[in-house]
Amino acid sequence: MKKTGLLHAELSQVIAAMGHGDVLVIGDAGLPVPAGVRRIDLALMQGVPTVAQVLQAVLGELQVEHALLAQESLGQNGDDGDTLPEWYLQQGVLLPAAPTIVTHAELKRRSQQACAVIRTGEYTPYANIGLVSGVVF
């Protein structure tokens, strides 16, 4: 039995197989998973697990070069619309300084080429992130 880190076997295998530039998407409960893309369904019930929880676990294992966020996710904190969502800010120290902002439609288009899409129990609209794999050297 594995002692530490990510315990989910399927998710751990996907991350171990990723190369530089590959994309892993973490999505809310409603994000469509394109046909032919591997789905890792972690959704247990509304809010379980959250995108923030899954993101934290993945960031402990994956070297991220940059992240992709949907423009529509900005301003979810009840502010002026330019602030990164709280679930992203919670992991900011582990993520690249600034995410690449794309439209939600573009994020869904890019998910067609993802290694996998992880479905969470998150019910926050547009709580989706694409993680582009970096290298550790």
Side-chain angles (χ1 to χ4, degrees), residues 24-101:
L24 178 65
V25 175
I26 301 172
D28 59 33
L31 182 68
V33 178
V37 175
R38 188 174 188 172
R39 172 195 308 256
I40 299 175
D41 198 338
L42 302 181
L44 182 60
M45 56 189 277
Q46 182 176 347
V48 179
T50 65
V51 166
Q53 290 169 327
V54 174
L55 182 57
Q56 180 181 23
V58 168
L59 290 175
E61 302 283 323
L62 179 64
Q63 179 68 37
V64 176
E65 184 171 276
H66 69 275
L68 306 168
L69 282 183
Q71 173 72 38
E72 293 85 345
S73 72
L74 304 181
Q76 293 286 323
N77 307 335
D79 52 32
D80 61 8
D82 289 333
T83 305
L84 295 170
E86 185 62 35
W87 57 264
Y88 181 91
L89 294 172
Q90 291 172 359
Q91 305 307 321
V93 71
L94 300 173
L95 284 160
T100 301
I101 305 298

Side-chain angles (χ1 to χ4, degrees), residues 94-119:
L94 300 173
L95 284 160
T100 301
I101 305 298
V102 297
T103 65
H104 183 61
E106 175 66 10
L107 185 62
K108 289 194 299 185
R109 187 189 69 72
R110 291 192 187 190
S111 72
Q112 294 173 355
Q113 304 303 316
C115 294
V117 174
I118 304 167
R119 181 174 175 259

